[in-house]
Amino acid sequence: MESNKDEALKCLAIARKHFDSGNIPSARKFCQKSISLFETSEALSLLTSINAVPEAGSSASASTSTSTEEHPSASGTKHRHPSSSSSSSRSNGTAGGIGGEKREYTTEQHAVVKRVRSCKVTEYYEILAVKRDCDEAEIKKAYRKLALALHPDKNGAPGADEAFKLVSKAFQVLSDAQKRAVYDRSGDDPESRFGGMSSRSSGFSASPFGGGTFEGEISPEDLFNMFFGGGGGGGGGGNVFGTGFGGGPVFTASFGPGGFRTTRMGRQAHHQQGAADQRSLLIQLMPLLILFAFSLLSALPNMFGTAAVPDPRFSFEPSARYNLARQTGDIGVRYHVNKAEFFGHPIIGAELAREGDSGQSSGGNSGQSSGGNSGQSSGKTEKRGPAVTKFEKTVDHVYTQDLYVRCQRGMDRKERAKEQEIGLFGIGTDWEKVRAIEREVIGSCEELKRLGVLNR
């Protein structure tokens, strides 16, 4: 398929690299994987060249007939089961190890291999010989025991390498809580192309340290070395936990609540990840920084300016406190203020003093305060300063808003009374009473009309 062409080319590049370095088995594996993903003439040509190179020990193994069985194991290779003709090898106590050398083995080691190989490749609990409700500690304990018993460098029984791979695969799945949950639901390999986590495991990513690896793929050898702290793996394991100052690969492993986690990175990747984390933190804090800056800018005028002076209090009804009647210059709303407070106001009082208004009688333009108020002031036609005009606009607004609310309530009350009188179909309605309801006068609405605020 065309969608697999890129991955096929990457596998082909890895195969060429292994071929140039003399690693014929790995070169053949990646070349065959490239052909299975997307067949190209370059891959076929390389496979022909690989097959033309004789492998070490091939003449010795040619006399032993084997049967091949396909299993989707963790490494994606074929499992090879020796036939009955290899009984002579078992009688001699030797078999091919993971590197092709002859290794000794005991009857107990062969029994462990035989038990693991008898399980299906997806019977992970049976492979590790644990119960389905086991905890993480039991899974680690079972893997530790089987990994030490089945490592091909220590166990030379036929099929030990494949049994070792099956144990590693089972541990990778069951030690990860998410993969284990998917496996418990489906019973299939959660990392397979048709499993529940194919989107996480099927992608190919190039390694920044040369070559490439399939995302999420950990070789049994790497898993063994990481689990046992980098030692005990015998030959071929290498130092998987880092190198000196050369910036080589570094493996980190954790066995926390989330299961078994591994990460492969280098020193350069560590620095890049740290810089990315700092940028991400700055981006997350950016809204808070902007909000703080706006709050600081809005507070600057109050920090360096004078405090705002509140307006004088007023009322629309006369009382002993509000003893001076006045009238706004716009729509003529009558209101009452405290004379001493009003004329003692630092802004309005100063403006009135400049205009010569002392709150005494000002001719026909003044309104007489009711209820024995002690002063008269401000007819509608008098000229006012900016401070008084601003204050009286507030008075007009408060007065008209209150009238609006009362007018709306009165109109709603009339509408409800009218609907109640008419009923659903108007049968038996007293229409004279309905007309009386419609003629009812709402005082607040009439006041708004008088002031010219509400259209007639």
Side-chain angles (χ1 to χ4, degrees):
M1 295 176 62
E2 286 290 340
S3 58
N4 296 330
K5 186 174 181 180
D6 292 339
E7 294 184 9
L9 293 177
K10 292 177 181 178
C11 290
L12 180 60
I14 298 174
R16 283 188 179 133
K17 181 178 179 181
H18 285 303
F19 181 71
D20 293 339
S21 62
N23 190 349
I24 303 303
S26 296
R28 179 180 289 106
K29 181 182 73 171
F30 280 97
C31 188
Q32 290 173 346
K33 186 174 293 187
S34 174
I35 294 173
S36 65
L37 290 172
F38 187 83
E39 184 174 326
T40 59
S41 58
E42 293 86 351
L44 294 174
S45 175
L46 179 60
L47 183 60
T48 303
S49 302
I50 293 173
N51 292 331
V53 177
E55 293 188 37
S58 60
S59 59
S61 61
S63 60
T64 303
S65 62
T66 59
S67 60
T68 303
E69 180 183 352
E70 297 283 348
H71 285 301
S73 65
S75 62
T77 59
K78 295 181 180 180
H79 293 205
R80 304 188 63 84
H81 296 275
S83 64
S84 58
S85 62
S86 61
S87 59
S88 60
S89 174
R90 288 197 297 271
S91 62
N92 293 331
T94 60
I98 198 169
E101 301 88 355
K102 297 294 182 179
R103 300 291 184 184
E104 298 291 337
Y105 66 93
T106 64
T107 306
E108 291 79 8
Q109 289 177 328
H110 184 255
V112 175
V113 172
K114 187 175 180 180
R115 184 196 69 79
V116 173
R117 293 291 303 278
S118 66
C119 302
K120 294 182 180 179
V121 292
T122 56
E123 292 179 343
Y124 301 134
Y125 291 105
E126 290 76 4
I127 291 173
L128 294 181
V130 294
K131 297 180 180 179
R132 286 187 171 269
D133 58 350
C134 65
D135 57 17
E136 187 178 351
E138 294 179 80
I139 294 173
K140 293 179 184 177
K141 182 178 179 181
Y143 172 74
R144 182 187 298 273
K145 179 180 177 181
L146 289 173
L148 291 173
L150 293 172
H151 195 280
D153 288 343
K154 297 184 178 181
N155 188 339
D161 54 345
E162 300 303 327
F164 181 66
K165 293 173 184 177
L166 291 174
V167 170
S168 300
K169 176 65 176 181
F171 177 67
Q172 289 186 54
V173 173
L174 297 184
S175 63
D176 188 309
Q178 186 176 0
K179 293 180 181 179
R180 183 178 180 181
V182 173
Y183 171 71
D184 289 340
R185 288 195 303 268
S186 64
D188 296 326
D189 181 5
E191 293 183 345
S192 67
R193 187 174 297 273
F194 301 100
M197 302 177 65
S198 60
S199 61
R200 292 180 52 194
S201 60
S202 62
F204 183 91
S205 60
S207 171
F209 313 104
T213 60
F214 281 94
E215 184 179 351
E217 181 178 335
I218 305 174
S219 69
E221 280 292 329
D222 290 341
L223 179 62
F224 182 88
N225 283 296
M226 285 185 288
F227 189 90
F228 291 98
N239 182 9
V240 297
F241 285 92
T243 58
F245 297 98
V250 177
F251 279 103
T252 61
S254 63
F255 298 90
F260 182 74
R261 294 286 187 272
T262 59
T263 307
R264 181 179 180 180
M265 61 183 68
R267 301 183 184 277
Q268 182 180 2
H270 276 298
H271 294 300
Q272 293 176 352
Q273 182 179 2
D277 291 341
Q278 292 178 358
R279 288 194 297 270
S280 177
L281 179 62
L282 181 61
I283 292 174
Q284 293 177 2
L285 293 177
M286 188 64 68
L288 294 177
L289 296 176
I290 294 175
L291 181 61
F292 176 75
F294 274 112
S295 301
L296 182 62
L297 291 175
S298 61
L300 285 178
N302 295 331
M303 293 172 60
F304 299 101
T306 58
V309 180
D311 289 338
R313 287 168 287 184
F314 62 91
S315 173
F316 296 112
E317 297 294 335
S319 64
R321 178 180 178 82
Y322 300 103
N323 52 15
L324 178 64
R326 292 181 63 86
Q327 189 175 3
T328 62
D330 189 8
I331 60 176
V333 175
R334 190 176 180 83
Y335 66 99
H336 302 267
V337 295
N338 181 274
K339 183 176 180 180
E341 179 184 357
F342 192 71
F343 286 95
H345 193 272
I347 299 177
I348 296 178
E351 184 176 275
L352 292 174
R354 288 195 301 270
E355 295 174 358
D357 187 351
S358 60
Q360 302 300 322
S361 175
S362 56
N365 294 329
S366 300
Q368 181 68 32
S369 63
S370 59
N373 292 324
S374 61
Q376 307 168 346
S377 182
S378 281
K380 182 175 179 180
T381 59
E382 288 186 1
K383 183 179 179 182
R384 288 162 170 78
V388 176
T389 301
K390 180 181 178 183
F391 170 72
E392 290 185 347
K393 283 185 178 295
T394 303
V395 175
D396 288 339
H397 178 74
V398 173
Y399 185 70
T400 54
Q401 283 297 111
D402 181 63
L403 289 178
Y404 270 125
V405 172
R406 288 188 289 168
C407 176
Q408 187 64 43
R409 289 176 181 172
M411 293 176 66
D412 292 342
R413 180 183 55 78
K414 281 178 60 176
E415 189 65 26
R416 288 194 300 270
K418 181 179 175 182
E419 291 177 355
Q420 184 177 2
E421 185 63 30
I422 295 175
L424 184 59
F425 299 106
I427 301 175
T429 302
D430 186 353
W431 294 104
E432 189 63 31
K433 189 174 181 180
V434 172
R435 284 189 287 272
I437 294 174
E438 291 177 347
R439 290 193 299 268
E440 183 180 341
V441 177
I442 303 175
S444 54
C445 296
E446 295 300 317
E447 178 67 9
L448 287 172
K449 292 177 182 178
R450 185 188 69 79
L451 296 173
V453 178
L454 187 66
N455 295 330
R456 296 180 180 273

